[in-house]
Amino acid sequence: MQVDERWLGSVTPLMVGRSGYERTGINYNFFLSSNDISSAAESMLAKEYHLENIDALDVTEGFLITYHYAHFEQPDRVAHRVLLPRDKPELPTISAIYQGADWHERECNDFHGIIFSGHPNLIPLLLDPETPNGVLLKNDKSRKPLRDLIDPGKVLFKIDDFSLFDEEVEKQPEQNDT
């Protein structure tokens, strides 16, 4: 299945899921590469979507950064999701595209230590400047797998290498009948 170009222009997502708006409040989940987040944001702005918020979630696999967009005139809500590695949680800022992203990105930096490269003013937003970044980081025991927290919806498109929500088949050891 081809990804509908009306959504992201030239950006090819890693996965697209159609969600039940009544249950999740989201129509579509787009999992993207961090390199594509700026182009995807430009596409959303061109299609008259506004940025509602950006949030970070500390999960077993790393950090999930979610950008929630809503349309100005239609009841349509879209989530762009990027999974970042724990050892290098960095992605480009979209604050030049959506001014409101400035505050959301600073908040993600305050609480989770996420770096938004190119951000013009990545200073503490809510915390005292002496507070170390990442105050909401979880310990290994407290982190949950992403598949336990996020329902991606009905998968409409997925590249072959994207396996985050694939069903894991538990291999049972073979038993001898002797």
Side-chain angles (χ1 to χ4, degrees), residues 13-14 18 23 58 101 107 115-116 118 145 159 164 168 176 178:
L14 304 173
R18 172 116 172 105
R23 191 169 66 80
D58 187 3
E107 182 180 44
I115 303 296
F116 292 90
I159 65 168
L164 194 57
E168 291 183 10
N176 289 333
T178 57

Side-chain angles (χ1 to χ4, degrees), residues 19-49:
S19 296
Y21 182 84
E22 298 77 24
R23 191 169 66 80
T24 65
I26 297 171
N27 297 90
Y28 291 95
N29 281 295
F30 290 88
F31 287 82
L32 304 170
S33 157
S34 60
N35 296 333
D36 290 331
I37 199 64
S38 297
S39 296
E42 288 172 349
S43 180
M44 296 306 284
L45 183 61
K47 291 165 183 28
E48 298 183 344
Y49 282 78

Side-chain angles (χ1 to χ4, degrees), residues 71-136:
H71 197 274
F72 283 114
E73 297 180 14
Q74 300 170 11
D76 198 20
R77 203 154 171 260
V78 174
H80 289 174
R81 300 181 189 273
V82 178
L83 186 62
L84 299 176
R86 189 168 313 291
D87 62 344
K88 191 172 186 211
E90 184 174 341
L91 68 163
T93 183
I94 64 165
S95 62
I97 302 162
Y98 286 98
Q99 271 188 313
D102 177 273
W103 286 53
H104 298 295
E105 291 174 351
R106 287 171 59 196
E107 182 180 44
C108 289
N109 180 261
D110 274 3
F111 293 140
H112 292 91
I114 308 300
I115 303 296
F116 292 90
S117 58
H119 192 286
N121 193 29
L122 199 58
I123 60 172
L125 175 66
L126 300 170
L127 301 178
D128 183 288
E130 300 300 315
T131 305
N133 287 357
V135 296
L136 292 184

Side-chain angles (χ1 to χ4, degrees), residues 57-68:
L57 187 59
D58 187 3
V59 295
T60 305
E61 299 85 355
F63 294 101
L64 180 70
I65 311 302
T66 301
Y67 300 76
H68 289 107

